[in-house]
Amino acid sequence: MLASVAVLFVGTTPALAEPSVAEIEKQIDTAWRKLEPIVEKHNATRQDLAAKKAQAKTLRNKIAPLQSQIDAAMDRVSEFAVEAYKGDKASSVNALLTNKSPAALVGQLSVLDQFARQQQRDVQAVIDLRDKYDAQKRPLDTLVDQLTKTEAELAKKKKEIDAEVDRLQKLRIKAYGNGSAGPLAPAPCPATYPGGNAGKAVKFACQQIGKPYVWGAEGPNSYDCSGLTLAAWAKGGVSLPHNARAQRGKVKSVSRSELRPGDLVFYYADLSHVGMYVGGGWIVHASRAGEPVKMKRMDDGEIHSFGRPG
């Protein structure tokens, strides 16, 4: 008996078993939960950067005419100085200063002084306005610099994100052969759609089923999670930001009992994922790299909250 047991511990070491489909899916889930918040942060930063750059441009456009006014005023002052004290006008200045009439001299100097003071007031008024707009623009410039640096840092991560997406895709191919078989096959969308804007949004979202997930994309050929809900509700006449957390902040909260097709379902404590409710306990969503836009059971994931656009 001991001899037979000992046989189990000798000889060639058996090869490690290949991971099962369930184990591979678990690996992908874990990796994607870390990656999707980075994708959504990229989307939010890109939108914030564009908005702040537009504000800075508006202020620069306001400041430009003021600078032109300052330049023109300074030119007038310079011309006045040249005419009064230099060049061809020197003889006129000499004549003024050698005028034998003290009263005339005092009067001319008074006019000269008043003109100079008026010029100074004109210039100062424009400078004050310019400084006002500069003061408004300065914090925006600082913020744009910060956002630009943040975007540059995220851009550096693009290769890392793409490499991770590629790794996950290879894992999926290893599990299913082509990345769309087995449990990844999408369920059908509803046979009928609600009316109104919500119906337009739901119908559009369902029409995108089968299109690939691409991070940062909002159609028409590929989507990420918030890009899909953004594009779908655009068909319903509602503008949404390209970021799940920002969408949560913009839409009206609804309870689970109030859910109706077209409502948004937000996932995870960090609000890093969003899908669209289509009825019957199902959502349509752009889930993650390697999987097409598809439907899934709404409760298959950690639900954060629900929201209604429009």
Side-chain angles (χ1 to χ4, degrees):
M1 178 66 179
L2 290 174
S4 61
V5 171
V7 172
L8 297 176
F9 297 95
V10 298
T12 305
T13 302
L16 293 175
E18 290 292 321
S20 67
V21 169
E23 289 170 337
I24 290 175
E25 279 297 320
K26 186 175 181 180
Q27 290 179 38
I28 293 172
D29 283 340
T30 300
W32 190 250
R33 280 292 297 119
K34 294 178 180 178
L35 192 60
E36 190 166 39
I38 296 174
V39 171
E40 286 298 288
K41 181 181 178 183
H42 180 277
N43 290 337
T45 301
R46 185 182 57 191
Q47 283 201 294
D48 199 17
L49 177 66
K52 291 299 185 293
K53 282 186 174 179
Q55 291 178 31
K57 182 179 179 181
T58 298
L59 279 174
R60 281 195 294 269
N61 289 340
K62 289 182 179 179
I63 293 168
L66 291 174
Q67 186 61 58
S68 297
Q69 292 177 43
I70 293 169
D71 293 341
M74 294 303 294
D75 286 343
R76 288 195 300 272
V77 172
S78 297
E79 290 171 3
F80 170 77
V82 169
E83 290 179 1
Y85 302 107
K86 294 181 180 180
D88 294 338
K89 299 298 181 180
S91 59
S92 299
V93 175
N94 290 333
L96 183 150
L97 296 176
T98 57
N99 193 305
K100 294 181 180 181
S101 170
L105 176 58
V106 170
Q108 290 170 326
L109 287 176
S110 176
V111 170
L112 196 70
D113 181 64
Q114 289 175 12
F115 184 78
R117 288 177 184 275
Q118 183 61 48
Q119 289 294 310
Q120 184 179 6
R121 285 195 296 270
D122 290 344
V123 172
Q124 189 59 49
V126 179
I127 290 175
D128 289 344
L129 281 174
R130 193 275 314 272
D131 290 345
K132 174 184 175 182
Y133 284 112
D134 271 347
Q136 294 179 18
K137 179 174 173 287
R138 198 173 301 117
L140 274 175
D141 285 341
T142 300
L143 186 53
V144 168
D145 287 343
Q146 293 172 349
L147 290 170
T148 301
K149 290 177 182 177
T150 301
E151 188 178 54
E153 291 170 1
L154 290 176
K156 290 180 181 178
K157 291 183 180 178
K158 185 178 186 303
K159 288 185 178 180
E160 297 174 20
I161 294 173
D162 288 340
E164 181 66 1
V165 166
D166 185 58
R167 185 182 74 82
L168 298 181
Q169 177 68 348
K170 288 177 180 177
L171 277 176
R172 179 161 281 105
I173 290 173
K174 183 177 182 179
Y176 300 114
N178 61 5
S180 60
L184 300 182
C189 246
T192 59
Y193 298 95
N197 291 334
K200 295 176 183 177
V202 172
K203 185 174 183 179
F204 178 87
C206 287
Q207 288 172 341
Q208 309 315 301
I209 285 178
K211 292 186 178 181
Y213 176 101
V214 173
W215 66 277
E218 54 188 60
N221 301 316
S222 57
Y223 300 89
D224 64 11
C225 70
S226 54
L228 176 64
T229 50
L230 175 159
W233 266 104
K235 293 295 182 180
V238 176
S239 175
L240 294 175
H242 193 160
N243 174 260
R245 178 180 288 276
Q247 289 182 8
R248 169 66 280 199
K250 186 169 182 178
V251 301
K252 173 187 175 183
S253 293
V254 294
S255 66
R256 176 185 282 264
S257 62
E258 295 173 313
L259 272 180
R260 65 190 189 198
D263 289 345
L264 303 183
V265 183
F266 298 92
Y267 290 87
Y268 310 116
D270 59 3
L271 288 167
S272 59
H273 190 66
V274 61
M276 179 178 290
Y277 185 66
V278 296
W282 290 84
I283 69 164
V284 60
H285 70 146
S287 57
R288 62 191 181 194
E291 294 186 23
V293 174
K294 64 176 187 176
M295 291 179 67
K296 76 163 185 172
R297 285 290 181 185
M298 179 180 73
D299 289 316
D300 181 14
E302 178 191 324
I303 295 176
H304 178 279
S305 56
F306 309 96
R308 179 168 299 158

